[in-house]
Amino acid sequence: MRHRRARFLVAPLIAALGLIVLASPAGASSESIGACISEHLEEMITHSDTDHVLRELREESTQDDLEACLEAPNPILPELNEIIWGGAAFLILFVVMVKKGFPAVKGAMDARAERIRADLDAAETAKADAQAVQADYEARLADAQGEVARLFEEARASADQLRADLTARAEADNVEMRDRATADIEASRQQAIADLRTEVAGIALGAAERVVQSSLDEDAQRRLIDQYIDEVTGSDD
Amino acid sequence: MTDGLVAGYADALFAVASAEGDPAAVEDELFRFAQALRVDDDLQSSLADPGVPASRRQQIVEDLLDGRAGSTTVAVVSMVVAAGRASRLPAIIDAFVERSAASRNKAVATVRSAVELTDEQRERLTAALNGATGKDVEVRVVIDASVLGGVVTEIGDDIIDGSVRHRLSQLRESFR
């Protein structure tokens, strides 16, 4: 910082010194157009009469000398007094700038640098915050993706289990229905057999009753009664 | 309640029959009437029909027993029918018969047979039942064609079934 300030001070001093040094050679060529023309005219009048002067004025060499007076001064090197006044003004302005402007500019620049630095820090903080948010978001996203994957897995497992349960239940129901149907068929078969047996027995017994009724004549009735009496008699022995 | 009702009517009938002097004759007539009533559903429903006036039901009894039973028997049956207990009349008569037999120290044996028993069979059966039950049994034979053959004897709650019907029923059961 100190080196930069020294360079600011040295550079204008060198420029002012050069202008002062180079100003002296330019002093000869720094006379005015009027003085130049007056000098030529005074020389011609001093050495010649009026007619001769008029003749010399018509000569090309004289016109070239006069035109030479009209040529522009050195565009680079100003007049010495201008250099002096300009240098003084420059020095004054330079001192003012060094004393007043530079601290103000420097303060503004420092403030701006500080603001930029604060902005950079804020940006850095914001970036860090954003990165933290991003990391948190990515973590949440990863968690959500993991949760989604877990839920998918659970749903798939549940679906598999449900399918297995339904299949097992359907098979069990099928077996139960088959067993029940088999039992029903067997029960129906047994019932049909029993009904048929009862029917056959009824028919057979009806036929037997008719045979017995037709065969029970008086002798048979008497024998049955006697047999009954004998059985009752025998039962008390 | 029902048994008490039947027993009460039986006692009342027995008291009336005893008061009239010949309970044995009334017992025999009532027994026969009860057997006829058991096999005749139309008669039983007519006598038990509450829609038929009591006087009409009594007239049916009098017409039915006219000349077949004494006045005491007609009177007691008419009384039971008029009281609206005709549906219980067989049970009341059974209780009366048992009550009457018990008064003579006898037990009534209702013997059902498809044919009438000979006197010799009746005596032998009485002796056999006396020996089997240890009681002095009085045999009352009821001709019941549904017995088919053989004999069914009822003494109180005991039944000795030697009928062909019973044997056929046993045979029918064995087929099931």
Side-chain angles (χ1 to χ4, degrees), chain A residues 146-157:
Chain A
E147 184 68 14
V148 168
R150 188 181 64 79
L151 290 175
F152 267 114
E153 186 63 25
E154 286 183 359
R156 194 176 60 79

Side-chain angles (χ1 to χ4, degrees), chain B residues 30 33 37 43-44 46-48 52-83 86 89 93:
Chain B
L30 285 177
F33 178 73
L37 197 59
L43 176 61
Q44 191 168 359
S46 296
L47 294 179
V52 178
S55 59
R56 173 60 183 152
R57 283 179 277 163
Q58 288 176 312
Q59 186 63 46
I60 292 174
V61 171
E62 291 171 3
D63 291 345
L64 191 64
L65 296 178
D66 185 29
R68 299 178 183 175
S71 59
T72 304
T73 301
V74 174
V76 295
V77 171
S78 179
M79 180 194 73
V80 174
V81 170
L89 190 55
I93 292 175

Side-chain angles (χ1 to χ4, degrees), chain A residues 197-198 201-202 204-206 208-209 212-213 216 221-233 235-236, chain B residues 113-115 117 121 124-125 128-129 131-132 148-153 160-162 164-165 167-168 171-172 175-176:
Chain A
R197 183 179 296 169
T198 302
L205 288 171
E209 284 179 8
V212 167
Q213 282 179 324
L216 284 176
Q221 292 282 6
R222 189 173 60 253
R223 281 197 303 273
L224 284 172
I225 293 171
D226 290 340
Q227 182 181 353
Y228 175 81
I229 294 171
D230 292 340
E231 289 176 357
V232 173
T233 304
S235 64
D236 61 344
Chain B
S113 173
V115 296
L117 273 65
Q121 286 174 329
R124 285 180 57 215
L125 180 57
L129 291 174
L148 294 181
V151 175
V152 180
T153 302
I160 305 171
D161 197 339
V164 174
R165 168 68 61 191
R167 292 177 184 176
L168 286 174
L171 186 61
R172 188 187 301 275
F175 275 107
R176 292 180 179 175

Side-chain angles (χ1 to χ4, degrees), chain A residues 77-149:
Chain A
L77 294 177
E79 297 294 332
L80 181 59
N81 56 349
E82 290 179 1
I83 291 174
I84 292 170
W85 283 107
F90 175 79
L91 285 175
I92 292 168
L93 184 60
F94 179 76
V95 170
V96 170
M97 287 297 291
V98 168
K99 292 296 184 183
K100 300 294 183 183
F102 182 74
V105 172
K106 182 176 180 299
M109 290 183 67
D110 289 343
R112 186 167 179 273
E114 187 64 27
R115 190 171 64 251
I116 291 170
R117 189 179 300 108
D119 291 342
L120 287 174
D121 291 341
E124 192 68 24
T125 303
K127 181 182 177 184
D129 293 342
Q131 287 177 342
V133 171
Q134 183 182 4
D136 182 62
Y137 170 75
E138 288 177 350
R140 289 170 181 267
L141 184 61
D143 291 343
Q145 288 176 343
E147 184 68 14
V148 168

